[in-house]
Amino acid sequence: MRALIDALFVRISRQMAANEPIFTSNVDLDRFAGEILGGSRASGSYTAQQVYNALEAGVNRWVANQSFGGETMDAGLARMADLLKALPTQTLRAQEKDELQQYSTPPSYAMLAAYALSAEPGENLLEPSAGTGSLLAMADSIYGEKLHSEYANE
């Protein structure tokens, strides 16, 4: 999955710089994942949820490389709206995620939470979930602190 996350980060960076959709559909996302991972979802090489998680990790890496702290919250939220418009909608959810009530934090919500945090230099920030690190990535982008989170390899 690391190779897919890396490739997604590159694509997100390129497409956002060009103000173009990252993927036009989930079919395009799946095709891209198949090229990177080899195989297909249909053959069981990977699941839709693995691809969505990798996409979120790629988005978070892109977010962490931005400098949202140097702009107003309104400008940052406008950029988050552009990002969300450029991404495909996650239409395939694993039943287990629904049963456990596991929901990803959208980038715009992570931004609002990070601004509400009003972190001070030297404070430790912890991601309260076992997700893809959206809250840490946004805090890193806004406050300029290099925060680290470990991601599972799966």
Side-chain angles (χ1 to χ4, degrees):
M1 282 298 141
R2 178 64 63 190
L4 180 57
I5 294 168
D6 292 344
L8 286 164
F9 168 69
V10 169
R11 183 169 177 134
I12 292 164
S13 299
R14 186 183 69 232
Q15 298 303 103
M16 289 301 292
N19 199 26
E20 294 180 0
I22 297 165
F23 294 100
T24 58
S25 68
N26 281 298
V27 173
D28 288 342
L29 173 60
D30 189 51
R31 187 177 304 118
F32 182 84
E35 291 170 5
I36 302 300
L37 298 174
S40 67
R41 223 172 11 104
S43 70
S45 300
Y46 55 87
T47 67
Q49 202 56 55
Q50 287 173 314
V51 173
Y52 288 148
N53 287 344
L55 180 60
E56 288 179 20
V59 165
N60 289 340
R61 190 181 295 171
W62 179 82
V63 164
N65 280 278
Q66 305 303 301
S67 295
F68 290 111
E71 56 191 56
T72 66
M73 184 170 59
D74 287 342
L77 288 172
R79 287 178 65 197
M80 289 301 95
D82 291 342
L83 173 65
L84 291 174
K85 282 190 277 186
L87 293 168
T89 303
Q90 293 188 23
T91 56
L92 301 173
R93 284 194 47 88
Q95 182 178 355
E96 180 182 28
K97 286 190 115 181
D98 287 338
E99 290 170 356
L100 296 173
Q101 297 182 357
Q102 295 173 334
Y103 303 98
S104 301
T105 304
S108 52
Y109 288 23
M111 179 172 274
L112 289 171
Y115 274 112
L117 174 67
S118 299
E120 297 292 330
E123 287 184 323
N124 292 321
L125 304 178
L126 302 174
E127 169 80 62
S129 69
T132 56
S134 300
L135 298 172
L136 277 177
M138 190 59 72
D140 182 37
S141 178
I142 291 173
Y143 297 107
E145 298 290 333
K146 287 298 172 192
L147 306 173
H148 301 282
S149 179
E150 291 184 27
Y151 295 94
N153 289 328
E154 297 179 26

